Each structure stands twice: as structure tokens, then as C-alpha cells.
Amino acid sequence: MPNTKTLVIIKPDGISKLLIGNIISRFTETRLEIIGCKMVRVSKELAEKHYAEHKGKPFYNDLIDFITGKLHQHREVMALVYSGLNAIEKIRAICGATNPEKAEPDTIRGQFGRILESGLMENVVHASDSVESAEKEIKLWFEPDELIQEIYPTEEKVFKNHKKIVWKE
Ligand code: UDP
Ligand code: MG
């Protein structure tokens, strides 16, 4: 079984519904390790990069409004990186299907998700769906020094006045 990493986002509805503790408890059952965790105010730029694959789809604009917190009192999300055997599959199994009405009732999305009148699936959590998207997403959301392990190659870059460790291109 491969040791993989995955990005989890507790979306603004999860924060509003006070589900941070509940969601992390559910993931704890997997025995996976948390190697990064932070609260993030999601900019439009970050949202558009994260959901680039959905650009042009009917729900895209609502999805960007949703993840940037426009539909909730809380603008922030929680971003976590989990690491361990089959992390991607284990985390997605606990999250459940994208559509909360089709998700098994004992999954996070089945328990706490809903579909808005607009059709947008407000489904509490994001979780990476493949090794490739996990790497892209983790590098987008986290700087190397925000993780407790160096999971991808890094390099030192010299900016105008300072050096910084960045993800190697
Ligand atoms: N989404 C939606 N309607 C759809 C498909 C997706 O509202 O028909 C939203 C939903 O919030 C979902 C996100 O867009 O979590 C990203 O969609 P994706 O197909 O990547 O699902 P996920 O990987 O999150 O299960
Ligand atoms: Mg997806």
C-alpha cells in the first residue's frame, strides 16, 4: 500500500456549522498523520487556481463564491495535509460522495452536506482525488516550511531582499 499525502479543506459551511472538531475526530480513526494545518482566508485567486478544472461548468461561479466564504458568515477555511498508507482513498471514503444526497448517511457529506436552491453542493469538505492533484493542491495551499516533513523537493530562491525556501519547479 502506497504512502500518500492528501489535502483536506474544511469548507466555510463546515466552519459555520462548528464541525472542525467533529471532522478531525472522524479522520483520526484512519490513524493518518497530520503534517500541516492552518486557517486560511481564501482569495479569489487561490479559489480559481484550486478549482481550475471546473472553470466553465454551470456551478463554477457559485463554487468560487462558496469557497471564498461569500455564502457564509465565516470567510475562513481550515486546510490540512494528511500523510500515510492510502491516505487519499481513506480520507475520501470518510468524506463520502460529492453529492450529499447520494453520499452514504454515515459519511461527513452524507451527515452534514446539503444542496442549495441554486444547485450548488455545499458539502463541508474538500479532499484530493489522486496523487497528482494532491501534490498540486498541497503545493498551492502550503509553503514548504509550513509542513513538518519535506514531502516534495525544495530549492532556495533569492528574492529582492531575502531568501526563501519554495517548492522546486
Ligand atoms: N459541485 C457542485 N455541483 C456539481 C459538482 C460539483 O456544486 O455538479 C461542487 C461541490 O462543492 C464539489 C466541488 O464543486 O465538492 C468540486 O467538484 P468535484 O467534482 O471535484 O467533487 P469533489 O472532488 O469535491 O468530490
Ligand atoms: Mg475534486
Side-chain angles (χ1 to χ4, degrees):
M1 286 199 293
N3 185 311
T4 53
K5 327 285 167 204
T6 189
L7 179 81
V8 167
I9 308 292
I10 302 179
K11 295 181 179 182
D13 54 330
I15 306 290
S16 283
K17 290 173 176 169
L18 306 179
L19 291 172
I20 291 178
N22 184 301
I23 291 167
I24 293 177
S25 284
R26 291 294 304 277
F27 292 148
T28 303
E29 294 163 17
T30 62
R31 303 281 193 274
L32 294 167
E33 187 186 1
I34 296 173
I35 60 167
C37 176
K38 63 178 176 178
M39 300 302 296
V40 182
R41 284 224 153 132
V42 183
S43 64
K44 194 155 191 257
E45 189 191 356
L46 174 59
E48 285 176 347
K49 282 185 183 159
H50 179 73
Y51 281 130
E53 65 174 309
H54 297 302
K55 199 174 163 82
K57 294 184 185 168
F59 58 87
Y60 177 75
N61 289 340
D62 287 340
L63 179 58
I64 298 299
D65 281 352
F66 171 34
I67 200 69
T68 54
K70 295 224 167 66
L71 313 181
H72 294 85
Q73 291 159 320
H74 297 269
R75 267 188 54 205
E76 63 278 6
V77 302
M78 181 179 259
L80 303 110
V81 179
Y82 281 89
S83 168
L85 295 182
N86 286 334
I88 292 171
E89 295 76 12
K90 283 179 185 164
I91 293 285
R92 278 195 67 102
I94 293 171
C95 290
T98 306
N99 182 337
E101 281 176 12
K102 295 199 174 139
E104 292 297 324
D106 62 347
T107 59
I108 293 169
R109 288 167 164 181
Q111 275 186 297
F112 303 113
R114 62 176 180 162
I115 300 184
L116 303 186
E117 274 176 23
S118 65
L120 183 77
M121 295 167 186
E122 211 183 64
N123 55 10
V124 190
V125 274
H126 165 83
S128 308
D129 63 6
S130 67
V131 171
E132 294 72 31
S133 52
E135 177 171 346
K136 223 166 63 188
E137 291 172 4
I138 291 168
K139 288 178 172 176
L140 175 64
W141 286 78
F142 285 86
E143 305 269 6
D145 66 4
E146 291 176 315
L147 301 178
I148 61 166
Q149 294 169 7
E150 193 176 305
I151 55 174
Y152 308 117
T154 60
E155 62 189 352
E156 199 174 60
K157 251 197 183 166
V158 182
F159 290 85
K160 252 189 197 158
N161 302 315
H162 66 287
K163 289 180 196 166
K164 199 176 159 188
I165 301 292
V166 298
W167 297 117
K168 203 167 181 165
E169 279 166 17

